Amino acid sequence: MVRLVQDGYLLDKPSPPSQPKLFFDQRVIPAAIDAAGAVEAVLERLAVRTRQRPVMVLGMAMGAGFLVSRLTGRHASGSARRLF
């Protein structure tokens, strides 16, 4: 009979996660989630205050960010191209 599971498999302790993984899981991910929640709360407040739908506020914010990035020359492509 072939055994698929060793006799002491529950007794073996797995190795602990590495320090970079712990740092990523305990610091980076919670900070990113908090930042996303803060952005969502700001967009919701703006939507209520301006009486616009949240998707419209998000679209306007993304459009303004894109326009500013194009005008300042800090676009993702790395080249400082002119807008017009």
Side-chain angles (χ1 to χ4, degrees), residues 41-76:
V42 166
L43 287 175
E44 184 66 29
R45 284 190 216 129
L46 279 173
V48 169
R49 185 170 289 173
T50 60
R51 295 183 180 152
Q52 295 284 332
R53 287 180 285 161
V55 71
M56 293 296 292
V57 174
L58 178 62
M60 288 185 278
M62 289 178 65
F66 176 75
L67 185 61
V68 167
S69 71
R70 294 292 293 206
L71 290 176
T72 60
R74 294 185 182 137
H75 192 257

Side-chain angles (χ1 to χ4, degrees), residues 3-83:
R3 290 188 154 188
L4 297 176
V5 179
Q6 303 283 332
D7 286 335
Y9 80 99
L10 287 177
L11 301 175
D12 294 338
K13 225 177 160 182
S15 61
S18 65
Q19 288 298 324
K21 183 177 180 351
L22 281 176
F23 177 78
F24 187 74
D25 288 346
Q26 294 176 351
R27 305 285 181 184
V28 176
I29 296 296
I33 291 172
D34 289 343
V39 168
E40 182 185 8
V42 166
L43 287 175
E44 184 66 29
R45 284 190 216 129
L46 279 173
V48 169
R49 185 170 289 173
T50 60
R51 295 183 180 152
Q52 295 284 332
R53 287 180 285 161
V55 71
M56 293 296 292
V57 174
L58 178 62
M60 288 185 278
M62 289 178 65
F66 176 75
L67 185 61
V68 167
S69 71
R70 294 292 293 206
L71 290 176
T72 60
R74 294 185 182 137
H75 192 257
S77 65
S79 63
R81 291 180 283 168
R82 293 185 59 115
L83 186 60

